[in-house]
Amino acid sequence: MGQDVFEITINAVKMVAIFLLMVQLVPVLVWVERRGSAFIQNRFGPNRVGPLGLTQLLADAVKFLFKEEYIPNGANRLLFYGAPVMALVPGALAFGSLPLSMPIKIEPFSISILGMSIATTKAYTFAFQSFDIGIGIVFVLGVSSLGAYALLMAGWSSNNKYSLYGALRASAQMISYELALGLSLVGVLLLYNTFTFSEMINLQQGPLTINVMGAVKEISFLPNWGIFFQPLGAIILFSAMFAETNRLPFDLPEAEAELVAGYHTAYGGLKMLMFYIGEYGHMLVASGLMVTFYFGGYNLPLIDSAQVVEHFVGHGLSANAAAVMGALALFVVFLAKVLVFLWIFIWVRWSLPRFRYDQLMDLGWKTMLPWALANTIVTAVVILVLRNKWVH
Amino acid sequence: MENSLLFYVLSTLIVLFSFGMLVAANPVFSALFLALTMVGLAGLFFHLEAYFIAGVQLIVYAGAVMVLFVMVLMLFDLKKEIAPFSRGTLAGFVKLVCAGALFGLIIGAAKHSTEMMMITPEQAASQSGYAVEMKALATLLFTKYLLAFEVLGVLLLLIAVGVVAVSRAKGGTHVRS
Amino acid sequence: MFALEGLKYVGLNHYLVLSGILFTIGMLAVLLRRNLIVILMGVELMLNAVNLSFVAFSHFSANINGQLMVFFVMTVAAAEAGVGLALAVTLFKTFREVNIRLFEQLKG
């Protein structure tokens, strides 16, 4: 956690703040989803409450809070209440381990009250993430694979056949697509030669550098992003993420024409909202992973994070203030990149029809898995042949 | 001191969860308790600085194997079992005694072997800064244990084929038997 | 005997005792339960107990061979779970239950 009170306090506040950030992004995303779907389908969408319908969210939240508590007959109470809470856990834990911005380096500064210097602090480095675990990718994969429990618990405890069907479909789908997802990440691991997110992001700084048999070629107008080295892996990862989040075109678990609403048929009010938060949290993590692996993370294209801090120093800020401002600026960059992917999630949902179940399984096992394997092998062979790491 | 506190909290939880697995009459609860046990063990692996093993424990056990167990149990939809435990007071007593004897044996062996290994708290404390690099693990896996690794791959392929053959319904995947 | 000094420092012995407890509980599940799948879960718990002792040994003797053994054990355990569950599903299709009572009907 930290060495002294100051560091521990900051780290604790950081954890809570990042969790709240995830939860607070959900209403905004719901609004974007409703307005976006209306735009795509040539409707208006919610536009009566407040400017652009923005305060519709508040009205919805109040509605969710005051709904009647309802438990189906013969339901298992413990699991029925536990499932919505469980739905929040994987998204929150995985989002917490993503670096949202550059680490803030604080140099020693003196605390003074009324002009009298009381104490001088030590130098600190705060990572802009809830917790930094050395095995970033493995941790995120492990935690997000726990998401299946929430669906299974919800489906089984509702004592409802539609819920059970939805839950079984969902878990079968998640297990199937986890394979393609994990395999598509092997290419990333081979490319960056590390498991840690922040190191990956650092490796993606600067212009595109290709190292062919020792001859270094630099393309100055393109950033050194992973997408240029792993296009197939990126596509497979992103498609598998759609299946993991149970969104269209993979939303078989809640196919409303067949299963009423799938695993959360029997849920209403706040408990239903928690499933929503879980789903959007999963989307956030998926988008964050895409940005981190393939699109340079929080960095601006072609600009190093150190340059951003220098820019703020050049505007007359002290070193510590410049570090904080730089981190905040890059955080905005990260959010912007993530929002692009979130918009693609929404766009796809309102554009594509749903797969049939056998098509879904065929796509996962017969198309994506072989392509992911091929991607792994080709990446490994190319890296072996070119001998050197591609990214300096 | 914080470290030992973490160990005691985690190990108490693990023992409670695994005991829950043993006594829960409903097999679905048994499976969920076992999943919690697996997550707790992953926590202990983190504590032991085996980070990669902890992550793999989460992915393989908690994320895949136990989800499969829970899924199959829910597919059967057994609400409550008729006889969750085996019958016979005498047989049960003998089984308990056997388990107790085995436990004693394990503890005795552990105590003895640790005495032989002579790991004192001081020595162990000097090693607590030791963390395994994943690179070291991978190097060992692909050099010393390469043959075992390949055999494992063949085993997994065999298992996959065998499982499909065993669980296949006649006349296609969607036909009710 | 088991003084407070022993509790304060967590060493290899503590992990081995925990591993022994888990192994015994797993074995009791195998011996006492009548549901095939719970019996399989008992086997999984026993394998996990062994994993714990492997990792503990590896940590306290600063030797990573133990962690690789865990790797192998996990793979074999996953394979075993797959086969066991496939058999259970087949049995359930035939007998409509997975209780080991069904083995009483296997004569013929």
Side-chain angles (χ1 to χ4, degrees), chain B residues 58-93:
Chain B
L58 271 183
I59 296 177
V60 173
Y61 272 123
V65 172
M66 287 324 292
V67 169
L68 221 58
F69 272 103
V70 176
M71 214 175 102
V72 167
L73 283 169
M74 287 179 177
L75 196 68
F76 295 168
D77 206 17
L78 308 163
K79 279 298 173 200
K80 195 117 192 171
E81 279 202 277
I82 311 138
F85 293 95
S86 55
R87 278 169 302 179
T89 327
L90 183 67
F93 183 70

Side-chain angles (χ1 to χ4, degrees), chain A residues 39-111:
Chain A
F39 170 70
I40 288 169
Q41 298 175 338
N42 205 9
R43 306 183 271 116
F44 286 117
N47 65 350
R48 295 284 138 179
V49 194
L52 292 172
L54 267 170
T55 36
Q56 179 75 40
L57 316 164
L58 279 175
D60 279 349
V62 172
K63 183 188 78 179
F64 272 126
L65 276 174
F66 285 97
K67 281 240 175 145
E68 185 195 348
E69 273 286 306
Y70 168 75
I71 296 178
N73 203 7
N76 188 309
R77 294 181 76 94
L78 180 69
L79 291 188
F80 192 75
Y81 279 114
V85 181
M86 187 64 209
L88 281 181
V89 172
L93 281 179
F95 192 64
S97 69
L98 286 177
L100 305 179
S101 183
M102 61 187 259
I104 305 174
K105 286 199 182 68
I106 301 284
E107 279 154 26
F109 62 94
S110 57
I111 307 164

Side-chain angles (χ1 to χ4, degrees), chain A residues 24-341:
Chain A
Q24 288 307 311
L25 270 173
V26 171
V28 181
L29 284 177
V30 172
W31 179 80
V32 172
E33 175 126 39
R34 292 178 72 180
R35 292 288 293 193
S37 67
F39 170 70
I40 288 169
Q41 298 175 338
N42 205 9
R43 306 183 271 116
F44 286 117
N47 65 350
R48 295 284 138 179
V49 194
L52 292 172
L54 267 170
T55 36
Q56 179 75 40
L57 316 164
L58 279 175
D60 279 349
V62 172
K63 183 188 78 179
F64 272 126
L65 276 174
F66 285 97
K67 281 240 175 145
E68 185 195 348
E69 273 286 306
Y70 168 75
I71 296 178
N73 203 7
N76 188 309
R77 294 181 76 94
L78 180 69
L79 291 188
F80 192 75
Y81 279 114
V85 181
M86 187 64 209
L88 281 181
V89 172
L93 281 179
F95 192 64
S97 69
L98 286 177
L100 305 179
S101 183
M102 61 187 259
I104 305 174
K105 286 199 182 68
I106 301 284
E107 279 154 26
F109 62 94
S110 57
I111 307 164
S112 57
I113 298 174
L114 301 171
M116 285 185 297
S117 177
I118 295 173
T120 309
T121 60
K122 288 179 291 186
Y124 301 101
T125 305
F126 296 111
F128 212 109
Q129 65 200 86
S130 292
F131 40 81
D132 190 4
I133 298 180
I135 49 155
I137 296 183
V138 182
F139 179 76
V140 167
L141 278 182
V143 167
S144 54
S145 65
L146 297 182
Y149 286 110
L151 315 186
L152 280 171
M153 280 159 72
W156 185 75
S157 66
S158 303
N159 193 26
N160 175 331
K161 65 179 170 189
Y162 297 118
S163 302
L164 189 59
Y165 280 140
L168 290 176
R169 278 186 183 190
S171 50
Q173 177 180 325
M174 284 179 91
I175 291 181
S176 308
Y177 277 79
E178 233 160 54
L179 283 172
L181 195 149
L183 266 178
S184 66
L185 287 181
V186 177
V188 175
L189 293 179
L190 290 172
L191 178 63
Y192 298 124
N193 209 4
T194 173
F195 278 83
T196 326
F197 292 128
S198 42
E199 279 179 36
M200 287 183 186
I201 292 170
N202 287 338
L203 284 172
Q204 292 182 59
Q205 287 179 349
L208 188 63
T209 315
I210 301 171
N211 192 340
V212 187
M213 308 280 195
V216 180
K217 191 159 168 47
E218 214 168 77
I219 302 169
S220 57
F221 59 89
L222 283 177
N224 198 9
W225 284 351
I227 182 79
F228 297 113
F229 300 109
Q230 286 284 315
L232 183 62
I235 292 169
I236 293 173
L237 178 71
F238 200 46
S239 333
M241 285 294 189
F242 275 93
E244 292 281 305
T245 46
N246 295 326
R247 282 177 69 87
L248 266 167
F250 299 103
D251 75 332
L252 274 296
E254 40 191 293
E256 61 270 15
E258 309 151 34
L259 296 181
V260 190
Y263 57 89
H264 54 55
T265 303
Y267 283 88
L270 199 62
K271 298 198 281 293
M272 173 83 181
L273 188 65
M274 285 170 86
F275 277 115
Y276 266 118
I277 296 177
E279 183 184 322
Y280 282 104
H282 229 118
M283 274 165 64
L284 264 177
V285 172
S287 313
L289 285 181
M290 281 301 289
V291 169
T292 310
F293 291 151
Y294 301 112
F295 291 92
Y298 46 73
N299 275 324
L300 284 164
L302 300 174
I303 298 175
D304 286 2
S305 45
Q307 282 174 304
V308 177
V309 177
E310 276 165 26
H311 171 81
F312 280 106
V313 172
H315 277 69
L317 286 175
S318 71
N320 286 343
V324 174
M325 282 303 292
L328 285 178
L330 289 182
F331 174 56
V332 172
V333 172
F334 180 81
L335 270 189
K337 286 183 183 176
V338 163
L339 277 177
V340 171
F341 283 98

